[in-house]
Coordinates of all heavy atoms in Angstrom, one line a residue:
Chain A
M225 N 9.6 -15.2 -24.4 CA 9.0 -15.9 -23.3 C 7.7 -16.6 -23.6 O 7.4 -17.7 -23.3 CB 8.9 -15.0 -22.1 CG 10.2 -14.5 -21.5 SD 10.1 -13.1 -20.4 CE 9.3 -13.9 -19.0
G226 N 6.8 -15.8 -24.2 CA 5.5 -16.3 -24.6 C 5.6 -17.4 -25.6 O 4.9 -18.4 -25.5
R227 N 6.5 -17.2 -26.6 CA 6.7 -18.2 -27.6 C 7.2 -19.5 -27.0 O 6.8 -20.6 -27.5 CB 7.7 -17.7 -28.7 CG 7.5 -18.3 -30.0 CD 8.2 -17.5 -31.1 NE 9.6 -17.6 -31.0 CZ 10.4 -18.2 -31.9 NH1 9.9 -18.7 -33.0 NH2 11.7 -18.2 -31.7
S228 N 8.0 -19.5 -26.0 CA 8.5 -20.7 -25.4 C 7.4 -21.5 -24.8 O 7.4 -22.7 -24.8 CB 9.6 -20.4 -24.4 OG 9.1 -20.0 -23.2
V229 N 6.4 -20.8 -24.2 CA 5.3 -21.4 -23.6 C 4.4 -22.1 -24.7 O 4.0 -23.2 -24.6 CB 4.5 -20.5 -22.7 CG1 3.2 -21.1 -22.2 CG2 5.3 -19.9 -21.6
L230 N 4.0 -21.3 -25.7 CA 3.1 -21.8 -26.7 C 3.8 -22.9 -27.5 O 3.2 -23.8 -28.0 CB 2.6 -20.7 -27.6 CG 1.3 -20.0 -27.2 CD1 1.5 -19.2 -25.9 CD2 0.7 -19.2 -28.3
G231 N 5.1 -22.8 -27.6 CA 5.9 -23.9 -28.3 C 5.9 -25.2 -27.6 O 5.8 -26.3 -28.2
A232 N 5.9 -25.1 -26.3 CA 6.0 -26.3 -25.5 C 4.6 -26.9 -25.1 O 4.5 -28.1 -24.9 CB 6.7 -26.0 -24.1
R233 N 3.6 -26.1 -25.2 CA 2.3 -26.5 -24.7 C 1.2 -26.2 -25.7 O 0.8 -25.1 -25.9 CB 1.9 -25.9 -23.4 CG 2.9 -26.2 -22.2 CD 2.2 -26.1 -20.9 NE 1.1 -26.9 -20.8 CZ 1.0 -28.0 -20.0 NH1 2.0 -28.3 -19.2 NH2 -0.1 -28.8 -20.0
A234 N 0.8 -27.3 -26.4 CA -0.2 -27.1 -27.5 C -1.6 -26.7 -26.9 O -2.5 -26.2 -27.6 CB -0.3 -28.4 -28.3
D235 N -1.7 -26.9 -25.6 CA -3.0 -26.6 -25.0 C -3.2 -25.1 -24.6 O -4.3 -24.7 -24.1 CB -3.3 -27.5 -23.8 CG -2.1 -27.7 -22.9 OD1 -1.1 -26.9 -23.0 OD2 -2.1 -28.5 -22.0
V236 N -2.2 -24.4 -24.7 CA -2.3 -22.9 -24.4 C -2.7 -22.2 -25.7 O -1.9 -22.2 -26.7 CB -1.0 -22.4 -23.9 CG1 -1.0 -20.8 -23.7 CG2 -0.6 -23.0 -22.5
A237 N -3.8 -21.5 -25.7 CA -4.3 -20.9 -26.9 C -3.6 -19.5 -27.1 O -3.3 -19.2 -28.2 CB -5.8 -20.7 -26.7
E238 N -3.5 -18.8 -26.1 CA -2.8 -17.5 -26.2 C -2.3 -17.1 -24.8 O -2.8 -17.6 -23.8 CB -3.7 -16.4 -26.8 CG -5.0 -16.1 -26.0 CD -5.8 -14.9 -26.6 OE1 -5.2 -14.0 -27.1 OE2 -7.0 -15.0 -26.5
L239 N -1.4 -16.2 -24.8 CA -0.8 -15.7 -23.5 C -0.5 -14.2 -23.6 O -0.1 -13.7 -24.6 CB 0.6 -16.5 -23.4 CG 1.4 -16.2 -22.1 CD1 2.1 -17.5 -21.7 CD2 2.4 -15.2 -22.3
R240 N -0.9 -13.5 -22.5 CA -0.7 -12.1 -22.5 C 0.2 -11.8 -21.3 O 0.1 -12.4 -20.2 CB -2.0 -11.4 -22.3 CG -2.9 -11.5 -23.5 CD -4.1 -10.4 -23.4 NE -5.0 -10.6 -24.4 CZ -6.1 -9.8 -24.6 NH1 -6.2 -8.7 -23.8 NH2 -6.9 -10.0 -25.6
M241 N 1.0 -10.8 -21.5 CA 1.9 -10.3 -20.5 C 1.9 -8.8 -20.3 O 1.8 -8.1 -21.3 CB 3.3 -10.7 -20.8 CG 3.6 -12.2 -20.6 SD 5.2 -12.7 -21.3 CE 4.6 -12.8 -23.1
S242 N 2.0 -8.4 -19.1 CA 2.1 -7.0 -18.7 C 3.4 -6.9 -17.9 O 3.4 -7.5 -16.8 CB 0.9 -6.5 -18.0 OG 1.1 -5.1 -17.7
A243 N 4.4 -6.1 -18.3 CA 5.7 -6.2 -17.7 C 6.2 -4.8 -17.5 O 6.7 -4.1 -18.5 CB 6.6 -7.0 -18.5
P244 N 6.3 -4.3 -16.3 CA 6.9 -3.0 -16.1 C 8.4 -3.1 -16.3 O 9.0 -4.1 -15.8 CB 6.6 -2.7 -14.6 CG 6.3 -4.0 -14.0 CD 5.7 -4.8 -15.1
N245 N 9.0 -2.2 -16.9 CA 10.5 -2.2 -17.0 C 11.0 -1.5 -15.7 O 10.9 -0.2 -15.6 CB 10.9 -1.4 -18.3 CG 12.4 -1.6 -18.6 OD1 13.2 -1.9 -17.7 ND2 12.8 -1.3 -19.8
K246 N 11.4 -2.2 -14.8 CA 11.8 -1.7 -13.5 C 13.2 -1.1 -13.7 O 14.2 -1.9 -13.5 CB 11.7 -2.7 -12.4 CG 10.3 -3.2 -12.1 CD 10.3 -4.4 -11.1 CE 10.6 -4.0 -9.7 NZ 9.5 -3.3 -9.0
H247 N 13.3 0.1 -13.9 CA 14.6 0.7 -14.3 C 15.6 0.7 -13.2 O 15.3 1.0 -12.0 CB 14.4 2.2 -14.7 CG 13.4 2.4 -15.8 ND1 13.5 1.7 -17.0 CD2 12.2 3.1 -15.9 CE1 12.4 2.0 -17.8 NE2 11.7 2.9 -17.2
H248 N 16.8 0.3 -13.5 CA 17.9 0.4 -12.6 C 18.9 1.4 -13.3 O 19.5 1.1 -14.3 CB 18.6 -1.0 -12.5 CG 17.8 -1.9 -11.5 ND1 16.5 -2.4 -11.9 CD2 18.1 -2.4 -10.3 CE1 16.1 -3.1 -10.9 NE2 17.0 -3.2 -9.9
Y249 N 19.0 2.5 -12.6 CA 19.9 3.6 -13.2 C 21.3 3.5 -12.6 O 21.5 3.4 -11.4 CB 19.3 4.9 -12.8 CG 17.9 5.2 -13.2 CD1 16.8 5.1 -12.2 CD2 17.5 5.4 -14.5 CE1 15.5 5.3 -12.6 CE2 16.2 5.6 -14.9 CZ 15.2 5.5 -13.9 OH 13.9 5.7 -14.3
L250 N 22.2 3.4 -13.6 CA 23.7 3.4 -13.2 C 24.0 4.7 -12.5 O 23.7 5.8 -13.0 CB 24.5 3.2 -14.5 CG 26.0 2.8 -14.3 CD1 26.1 1.4 -13.7 CD2 26.7 2.9 -15.6
V251 N 24.6 4.6 -11.3 CA 24.9 5.9 -10.6 C 26.2 6.5 -11.2 O 27.2 5.8 -11.4 CB 25.1 5.5 -9.1 CG1 25.5 6.8 -8.3 CG2 23.9 4.9 -8.5
D252 N 26.2 7.8 -11.4 CA 27.4 8.5 -11.9 C 28.3 8.8 -10.7 O 28.0 9.6 -9.8 CB 27.0 9.8 -12.5 CG 28.2 10.6 -13.0 OD1 29.3 10.1 -13.0 OD2 28.0 11.8 -13.3
L253 N 29.4 8.0 -10.6 CA 30.3 8.2 -9.5 C 31.6 9.0 -9.9 O 32.5 9.1 -9.1 CB 30.7 6.8 -8.9 CG 29.6 5.9 -8.4 CD1 30.1 4.5 -8.0 CD2 28.9 6.6 -7.2
A254 N 31.5 9.5 -11.1 CA 32.7 10.3 -11.6 C 33.0 11.5 -10.7 O 34.2 11.8 -10.5 CB 32.4 10.8 -13.0
P255 N 32.0 12.2 -10.1 CA 32.4 13.3 -9.2 C 33.3 12.9 -8.0 O 33.9 13.7 -7.4 CB 31.0 13.8 -8.7 CG 30.0 13.3 -9.7 CD 30.5 12.1 -10.3
F256 N 33.3 11.6 -7.8 CA 34.1 11.1 -6.6 C 35.3 10.4 -7.1 O 36.0 9.7 -6.4 CB 33.3 10.2 -5.7 CG 31.9 10.7 -5.5 CD1 30.8 10.0 -6.0 CD2 31.7 11.9 -4.9 CE1 29.5 10.5 -5.8 CE2 30.4 12.4 -4.7 CZ 29.3 11.7 -5.2
G257 N 35.6 10.5 -8.4 CA 36.8 9.9 -9.0 C 36.7 8.4 -9.1 O 37.6 7.6 -9.1
L258 N 35.4 7.9 -9.1 CA 35.2 6.5 -9.2 C 34.5 6.1 -10.5 O 33.6 6.8 -11.0 CB 34.3 6.0 -8.0 CG 34.8 6.3 -6.6 CD1 33.7 6.0 -5.6 CD2 35.9 5.3 -6.3
G259 N 34.9 5.0 -11.1 CA 34.2 4.4 -12.2 C 33.0 3.6 -11.7 O 32.9 3.4 -10.5
N260 N 32.2 3.2 -12.6 CA 31.0 2.4 -12.2 C 30.7 1.5 -13.4 O 29.7 1.7 -14.1 CB 29.9 3.3 -11.8 CG 28.7 2.4 -11.3 OD1 28.8 1.2 -11.1 ND2 27.6 3.0 -11.0
P261 N 31.5 0.4 -13.6 CA 31.2 -0.5 -14.7 C 30.1 -1.5 -14.4 O 30.4 -2.7 -14.3 CB 32.6 -1.2 -14.9 CG 33.2 -1.1 -13.6 CD 32.7 0.1 -12.9
G262 N 28.9 -1.0 -14.3 CA 27.7 -1.9 -14.1 C 27.7 -2.5 -12.7 O 27.2 -3.7 -12.6
E263 N 28.0 -1.7 -11.7 CA 28.1 -2.3 -10.4 C 27.1 -1.7 -9.4 O 26.6 -2.4 -8.5 CB 29.5 -2.2 -9.8 CG 30.5 -3.0 -10.6 CD 31.9 -2.9 -10.1 OE1 32.4 -1.7 -9.9 OE2 32.6 -3.9 -9.8
V264 N 26.9 -0.4 -9.5 CA 26.1 0.3 -8.5 C 24.9 1.0 -9.2 O 25.1 1.8 -10.0 CB 27.0 1.4 -7.7 CG1 26.1 2.1 -6.7 CG2 28.1 0.7 -7.0
F265 N 23.7 0.6 -8.7 CA 22.5 1.1 -9.4 C 21.6 1.7 -8.4 O 21.5 1.2 -7.2 CB 21.8 0.0 -10.1 CG 22.6 -0.6 -11.2 CD1 23.5 -1.7 -11.0 CD2 22.5 -0.1 -12.5 CE1 24.3 -2.2 -12.1 CE2 23.2 -0.7 -13.6 CZ 24.2 -1.7 -13.3
V266 N 20.8 2.7 -8.8 CA 19.6 3.1 -8.1 C 18.4 2.3 -8.7 O 18.2 2.4 -9.9 CB 19.3 4.6 -8.3 CG1 18.0 5.0 -7.7 CG2 20.5 5.4 -7.8
A267 N 17.7 1.6 -7.9 CA 16.4 1.0 -8.3 C 15.3 2.0 -8.3 O 15.0 2.5 -7.2 CB 16.1 -0.2 -7.5
G268 N 14.8 2.4 -9.4 CA 13.7 3.4 -9.5 C 12.4 2.9 -9.2 O 12.1 1.7 -9.4
D269 N 11.5 3.7 -8.6 CA 10.1 3.3 -8.3 C 9.2 3.8 -9.5 O 8.6 3.0 -10.1 CB 9.6 4.0 -7.0 CG 10.3 3.4 -5.8 OD1 10.4 2.2 -5.7 OD2 10.7 4.2 -4.9
R270 N 9.2 5.1 -9.7 CA 8.4 5.6 -10.8 C 9.3 6.7 -11.5 O 10.1 7.3 -10.9 CB 7.2 6.3 -10.2 CG 6.2 5.3 -9.6 CD 4.9 6.0 -9.3 NE 5.0 7.0 -8.3 CZ 3.9 7.7 -7.8 NH1 2.7 7.4 -8.3 NH2 4.1 8.6 -6.9

Side-chain angles (χ1 to χ4, degrees):
Chain A
M225 290 165 71
R227 206 162 70 111
S228 78
V229 173
L230 271 69
R233 300 205 56 112
D235 45 12
V236 173
E238 61 177 324
L239 182 144
R240 293 194 186 186
M241 285 166 284
S242 178
N245 192 339
K246 295 172 73 74
H247 305 305
H248 284 66
Y249 303 104
L250 195 68
V251 181
D252 178 12
L253 300 173
F256 318 117
L258 298 170
N260 187 7
E263 294 178 310
V264 179
F265 297 88
V266 176
D269 292 315
R270 295 192 292 184

